[in-house]
Amino acid sequence: MSYLIKDTTKQERIELIRSWVPEDEVMDGCDIDLWEMYRDYIDGKREIAEINAAFNQGFYEESDLR
């Protein structure tokens, strides 16, 4: 199944993100709000890969810090 914006409806994109949100309190205390993080995807503005790439730019490998 393709998760590209062109291949999904807004409702399907919402359901996909909903499937990623843990039902328990695993993410309590975490600063990441998946609904906000993927808002542009849900609204059909940016693909998941674009959002993930932008998010990952802020992370460094331990070797980068030496």
Side-chain angles (χ1 to χ4, degrees):
M1 175 178 184
S2 172
Y3 296 112
L4 295 175
I5 291 168
K6 70 181 181 90
D7 297 331
T8 56
T9 65
K10 185 172 185 172
Q11 187 59 40
E12 289 171 326
R13 294 189 295 270
I14 290 170
E15 290 301 319
L16 176 63
I17 304 305
R18 183 174 286 135
S19 74
W20 295 348
V21 176
E23 291 182 20
D24 55 16
E25 298 175 1
V26 171
M27 293 185 72
D28 281 359
C30 180
D31 291 337
I32 299 172
D33 180 342
L34 293 178
W35 293 108
E36 283 306 311
M37 181 174 175
Y38 290 103
R39 173 70 47 210
D40 282 351
Y41 172 68
I42 292 169
D43 292 339
K45 296 177 183 176
R46 292 191 306 157
E47 297 291 351
I48 293 171
E50 294 174 89
I51 295 168
N52 289 344
F55 179 76
N56 287 329
Q57 284 179 342
F59 288 94
Y60 298 94
E61 296 289 325
E62 185 174 333
S63 60
D64 295 335
L65 302 174
R66 292 185 190 150

